[in-house]
């Protein structure tokens, strides 16, 4: 089978298409013939070597989210899965391939009306956004700021906050064009990357969902209302400064809160239930799968180049040539 391997940490050109034996599903796993593979910010960080200190090494196959058809099952797995179209999480790798193993516990059956491309666009991004808003204790009527709203998680956070009855949904983004597209998805206020540049900007927000982190994160504590909550779900601009929490401490009387969120802390059964509902909502027309571009597996380098240039609005999806 064809797969994309990280030959060495570095720029997108370190990715290479290689021939590998088909994997075999271990106990509790299934083998999936992929139809669509999501490209995410985590993939870019892993390829660059930014997460090497966590034990990742060259030779890694990227890709954590796929959709396709179950071809075989491992020991202890219900054989009725064979032949079914599913969405699945592979973990932190293995997805950039024509055939992939995934735990049975992550599988979500695809409705007949759901394409594989839309599934990997909505799936993990929507699930993370859903639980991040829950982690922030977001309630109807509250104002929400989504920092870094043009990516998959940000777009889903905008839609889910609007669908959940937010009193206002502000976004930070890099251009007026992207701002217009985010307004179509539910944003009510469009700010620049540092949270300014809008005459109608609110003085503060009850919830901030932050996908960016980086050097500017500390300045956003000033944009929280009293009892405001900021939840960090990503670090596409790198880690924040070591003393990033000092503005929050200095504003002690506002009772501000900061939290990180990872879907790894959510039980798999809850992840599956949330993803199933996201797919159903999309089929009902309540959520939109925003696909930036569909590329072939062999174009993984191009996909990562586009990600690094900040050209992507929504999700890039890879599809195997044989699909």
């Amino acid at each position: 089978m064809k797969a994309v391997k990280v030959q060495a940490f570095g720029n997108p050109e370190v990715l290479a298409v290689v021939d590998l034996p088909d994997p075999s599903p271990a106990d509790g796993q299934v083998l999936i013939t992929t139809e669509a593979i999501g490209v995410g910010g985590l993939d870019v960080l892993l390829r660059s070597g930014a997460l090497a200190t966590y034990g990742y090494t060259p030779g890694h196959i990227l890709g954590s989210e796929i959709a396709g058809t179950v071809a075989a099952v491992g020991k202890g797995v219900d054989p009725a899965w064979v032949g079914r179209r599913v969405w699945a999480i592979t973990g932190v790798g293995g997805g950039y391939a024509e055939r992939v193993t995934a735990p049975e516990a992550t599988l979500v059956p695809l409705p007949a009306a759901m394409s594989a491309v839309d599934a990997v666009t909505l799936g993990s991004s929507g699930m993370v956004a859903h639980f991040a808003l829950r982690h922030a204790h977001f309630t109807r009527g509250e104002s929400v700021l989504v920092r870094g709203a043009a990516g998959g998680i940000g777009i889903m956070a905008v839609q889910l906050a609007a669908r959940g009855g937010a009193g206002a949904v502000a976004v930070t983004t890099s251009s007026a064009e992207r701002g217009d597209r985010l307004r179509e998805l539910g944003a009510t206020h469009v700010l620049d990357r540092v949270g300014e540049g809008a005459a109608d900007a609110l003085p503060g927000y009850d919830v901030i969902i932050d996908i960016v982190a980086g050097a500017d994160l500390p300045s956003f504590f000033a944009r929280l209302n009293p009892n405001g909550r900021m939840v960090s779900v990503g670090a596409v601009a790198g880690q924040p400064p070591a003393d990033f929490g000092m503005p929050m401490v200095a504003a002690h009387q506002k009772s501000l809160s900061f939290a990180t969120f990872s879907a790894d802390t959510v039980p798999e059964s809850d992840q599956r239930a949330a993803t199933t509902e996201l797919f159903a909502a999309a089929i009902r027309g309540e959520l939109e799968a925003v696909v930036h571009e569909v590329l072939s597996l062999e174009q993984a380098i191009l996909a990562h180049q586009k990600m690094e240039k900040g050209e992507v609005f929504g999700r890039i999806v890879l599809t195997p040539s044989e699909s």
Side-chain angles (χ1 to χ4, degrees), residues 57-127:
T57 60
H60 187 73
I61 295 173
L62 301 173
S64 60
E65 178 178 15
I66 58 98
T69 302
V70 177
V73 300
K75 185 177 178 180
V77 177
D78 186 351
W81 281 113
V82 175
R84 298 186 69 181
R85 295 175 66 247
V86 297
W87 171 91
I89 292 290
T90 64
V92 291
Y96 286 21
E98 292 175 331
R99 279 169 286 285
V100 175
T101 57
E104 180 189 22
T106 73
L107 301 183
V108 174
L110 288 189
M114 175 67 60
S115 73
V117 168
D118 284 355
V120 298
T121 301
L122 292 163
S124 65
S125 293
M127 185 258 292

Side-chain angles (χ1 to χ4, degrees), residues 150-151 178 292-293 303 306-316:
R178 289 186 170 199
H292 178 82
E293 191 172 3
K306 289 174 178 285
M307 291 281 287
E308 290 207 334
K309 291 177 182 177
E311 297 178 355
V312 179
F313 184 88
R315 191 120 214 224
I316 290 181

Side-chain angles (χ1 to χ4, degrees), residues 138-144 161-169:
F138 162 69
T139 59
R140 180 176 294 274
E142 289 191 313
S143 55
V144 177
R163 183 172 175 245
V169 182

